[in-house]
Each structure stands twice: as structure tokens, then as C-alpha cells.
Amino acid sequence: TRLVQIKCNGITLGIGDGANDVGMIQAAHIGVGISGREGRAAVLASDYSFAQFKYVARLILVHGRAMYLRNTDVVKYSFYKNFLNSLT
């Protein structure tokens, strides 16, 4: 997780379901814990928790797309604002 954060300069998502994944979940920008047979350590250390792995797809697809659309609106507004400032 740290290597991806340093080299790619991106936001990381850590998904885990057991006690061995706690370090990865805590090191990631967004931590997702899945409650399962291995205990609740990952759920307690995470930002978001799910009962089953199939719910993670909705988090990534729906909310990820919504954030993408919001960010594009901000960039378009920024270009528009700077263009109008350059005309005056």
C-alpha cells in the first residue's frame, strides 16, 4: 500500500476480511472490512464495513463514478473561471 501511494501518487483502497489485513486497511486512504469467519478485527479497523464481498462492487462503481463526475465539474468550472479572468 505504501509503495503504491509513493510511486503512483494515488488514492488507495484496502479491502480485507481478517486480522492479517488490519495493517493494510489502516495504511490505505480508504479501508474496507468484510465481516466473515476470520473475526471482526478487519471490520473494527476499517472506515467502511460490509457483510459480504459482493457489496464492494457497488461502492466502487456507483460512488466512484459519482466522485469522478463531481471532480470533472470542478475542473470545468475552474477552466471557465480562469478563462473569464484572462479576458478582463
Side-chain angles (χ1 to χ4, degrees):
T1 305
R2 295 273 184 217
L3 182 64
V4 172
Q5 288 175 347
I6 293 169
K7 295 287 185 182
C8 297
N9 197 19
I11 296 176
T12 56
L13 171 70
I15 302 173
D17 65 344
N20 59 334
D21 299 323
V22 170
M24 174 188 59
I25 291 172
Q26 289 177 340
H29 290 107
I30 303 167
V32 176
I34 300 171
S35 59
R37 295 180 223 160
E38 296 185 28
R40 298 189 39 88
V43 172
L44 294 174
S46 65
D47 299 319
Y48 300 98
S49 63
F50 296 105
Q52 296 176 353
F53 189 77
K54 67 180 181 179
Y55 300 123
V56 176
R58 180 175 178 160
L59 172 75
I60 294 172
L61 294 176
V62 174
H63 297 288
R65 182 176 186 275
M67 283 302 297
Y68 173 77
L69 293 175
R70 285 186 212 121
N71 285 336
T72 56
D73 287 342
V74 169
V75 169
K76 286 189 273 186
Y77 172 74
S78 176
F79 279 123
Y80 176 74
K81 181 186 71 141
N82 289 329
F83 176 72
L84 289 181
N85 280 340
S86 67
L87 293 178
T88 59

